[in-house]
Amino acid sequence: MKITALKTFVVPPRWLFLKVETDEGLFGWGEPVLEGHAETLAAKIHELETFLIGRDPMLIEDTWQMIYRNGCYRGGPVLMSAMSGVDMALWDIKGKAYGQPVHALMGGKVRDRIRSYRWIGGDRPDNLIAEAKDLMAAGYNACKFNATEELQYIDSFAKVDAIVARISALRDAVGTDLDLALDFHGRVHAPMARILLKELEPVRPIFVEDAVVSAHIGAMADLARETSIPLCIGERLHSRYDFREVFEKRAAGIINPDTAHVGGISEMVRIGHMAEAYDIPIAPHCPLGPIALAACLQVDAICYNAVIQEQSLGIHYNQGGDLNDYLRPESRFKVEDGFLPIPQGPGLGIEVDEDVVQDRARIGHNWRAPVWRHADGSIADW
Ligand SMILES: [Mg+2]
């Protein structure tokens, strides 16, 4: 079998899909997206045609190593997100070739379903209680939200008090029926993160994500020693090499690598197994589209230490298109009792509706992260 074409589709709300075709009629889908950089990733995928057209798609690991080790420059968000989409698509092809789900080819599933959660509250946390109650009515028992708006390196206790009051009110409203994951989203700096983690311990979050931005693994490790809240990091790390320091410095109690940003299913499984050796669970990051989520579910099937799966059904980003819009009815995602089932179909286990993909690609998108500024006019981390 030989790869004959790499086709990319920029589709709403902010995604990029990849279809890898072969000379035997089999094809696979991947999602090589980096949010806010979809056109760049499409260009990167087409650069990879040089290496991929004419290759045997079954040689997944050799392809991974060839792309990763080619030339001087390794890793990083662009290359590894492109690689992620290719890796997902090749696993999809291999699974279809053998008539088996990806997890069956990687050792077999260790679970039938995975607990799942999604965002509430938007970019600036708002309307948390109402959205939390809607989520609970839909069967969820966990959610995540931004803990704060923009915050200066050193900010006021008026803001700290407002943050604690907002989250405490949510905890009072939902009791212990809904687990709360908080995202500091890299918008909090180390001095304020230390204060907030202490103040927020009484609301008992299941984890705090990106307590400081992931460039500061050392600061994260310092914070981890001071709090009982599990600290989570990973959405902005891009390979097992990036995660090594997190493990060695004991900087995290849980990690959230993104199957669409770390080099695909192959690298996610490696990172998951590395984490297991440190008694660290994984909670795959996925505020992305249906192909990325299907790839995550294959990882969740294989990694014993996968504890909860993020997904974006109905979240604030999904204007103009949601996950299930792009899938045939029989393979649409459905959360039941707070769990997502592990897909059992061949490959990634989903049936992408290519007619819809082509239609929506004519609309495309121009999604960009917002630009925020502090009161003094300086740029604020989003
Ligand atoms: Mg995050």
Side-chain angles (χ1 to χ4, degrees):
M1 194 174 358
K2 286 186 170 34
I3 296 172
T4 53
L6 308 178
K7 294 183 177 170
T8 54
F9 304 90
V10 176
V11 294
R14 54 179 194 155
W15 302 329
L16 175 71
F17 294 167
L18 165 66
K19 185 185 183 199
V20 176
E21 296 179 350
T22 69
D23 61 349
E24 295 188 10
L26 283 177
F27 55 87
W29 288 94
E31 193 169 325
V33 73
L34 188 64
E35 304 94 300
H37 305 268
E39 301 96 323
T40 304
L41 264 292
K44 184 68 217 169
I45 289 292
H46 292 295
E47 281 179 0
L48 294 176
E49 286 172 347
T50 310
F51 304 100
L52 294 173
I53 301 295
R55 275 186 65 77
D56 181 352
M58 306 294 262
L59 298 176
I60 298 173
E61 184 61 21
D62 187 66
T63 301
W64 199 100
Q65 296 290 349
M66 179 184 65
I67 296 172
Y68 182 75
R69 295 179 189 281
N70 178 254
C72 293
Y73 308 108
R74 294 181 186 177
V78 172
L79 178 65
M80 300 311 283
S81 298
M83 176 102 89
S84 297
V86 171
D87 183 88
M88 290 174 199
L90 297 189
W91 276 113
D92 197 25
I93 290 170
K94 182 170 258 189
K96 288 169 178 168
Y98 286 104
Q100 294 289 326
V102 172
H103 59 73
L105 303 179
M106 297 184 90
K109 64 187 169 76
V110 298
R111 57 177 51 81
D112 301 314
R113 55 186 192 160
I114 181 93
R115 193 181 179 203
S116 184
Y117 78 94
R118 72 162 177 81
W119 275 95
I120 57 171
D123 271 352
R124 288 193 163 95
D126 187 28
N127 205 28
L128 289 175
I129 292 174
E131 290 192 28
K133 292 200 163 165
D134 287 347
L135 213 56
M136 293 163 78
Y140 290 82
N141 53 39
C143 69
K144 183 167 79 184
F145 52 92
N146 281 306
T148 171
E149 304 180 346
E150 59 269 57
L151 212 60
Q152 270 287 14
Y153 277 85
I154 298 291
D155 216 315
S156 74
F157 276 93
K159 273 198 192 172
V160 171
D161 287 350
I163 292 164
V164 174
R166 181 169 56 234
I167 300 173
S168 299
L170 174 61
R171 173 56 85 202
D172 289 345
V174 300
T176 51
D177 293 334
L178 188 70
D179 281 336
L180 310 179
L182 313 184
D183 197 345
F184 286 10
H185 212 257
R187 62 181 64 152
V188 181
H189 298 275
M192 296 307 292
R194 174 170 282 114
I195 291 167
L196 279 178
L197 288 168
K198 182 179 174 202
E199 297 275 349
L200 290 170
E201 274 195 7
V203 300
R204 300 195 286 177
I206 54 170
F207 59 79
V208 166
E209 182 172 315
D210 288 330
V212 288
V213 78
S214 52
H216 301 301
I217 304 295
M220 186 99 166
D222 291 342
L223 295 169
R225 280 188 285 276
E226 294 175 12
T227 181
S228 66
I229 302 170
L231 299 187
C232 181
I233 194 167
E235 71 183 47
R236 303 180 204 193
L237 302 177
H238 300 291
S239 70
R240 77 198 96 146
Y241 305 102
D242 290 351
F243 277 91
R244 181 172 56 192
E245 190 185 5
V246 172
F247 300 139
E248 288 175 351
K249 290 188 172 169
R250 308 291 197 269
I254 181 168
I255 58 169
N256 69 331
D258 190 316
T259 312
H261 299 331
V262 294
I265 294 169
S266 300
E267 189 73 351
M268 275 292 278
V269 169
R270 289 191 276 261
I271 292 166
H273 291 339
M274 278 174 80
E276 188 184 349
Y278 289 86
D279 211 17
I280 292 174
I282 67 170
H285 181 253
C286 195
L288 302 173
I291 304 165
L293 179 57
C296 284
L297 291 169
Q298 298 297 327
V299 173
D300 296 325
I302 294 152
C303 289
Y304 174 76
N305 53 334
V307 290
I308 194 163
Q309 176 61 56
E310 180 173 22
Q311 45 79 14
S312 76
L313 286 164
I315 71 167
H316 56 291
Y317 295 123
N318 293 355
Q319 306 293 323
D322 212 322
L323 286 82
N324 284 332
D325 297 357
Y326 293 97
L327 299 180
R328 294 191 189 283
E330 58 276 14
S331 67
R332 287 179 184 158
F333 300 107
K334 189 160 186 279
V335 175
E336 286 179 353
D337 303 326
F339 290 89
L340 273 171
I342 303 295
Q344 297 301 322
L348 298 177
I350 50 168
E351 296 265 358
V352 173
D353 188 332
E354 189 170 347
D355 292 339
V356 174
V357 172
Q358 290 191 2
D359 270 359
R360 301 283 175 93
R362 282 189 270 278
I363 302 165
H365 69 80
N366 191 29
W367 190 87
R368 300 289 184 267
V371 175
W372 287 1
R373 289 185 183 275
H374 292 297
D376 66 3
S378 62
I379 289 289
D381 288 300
W382 166 71

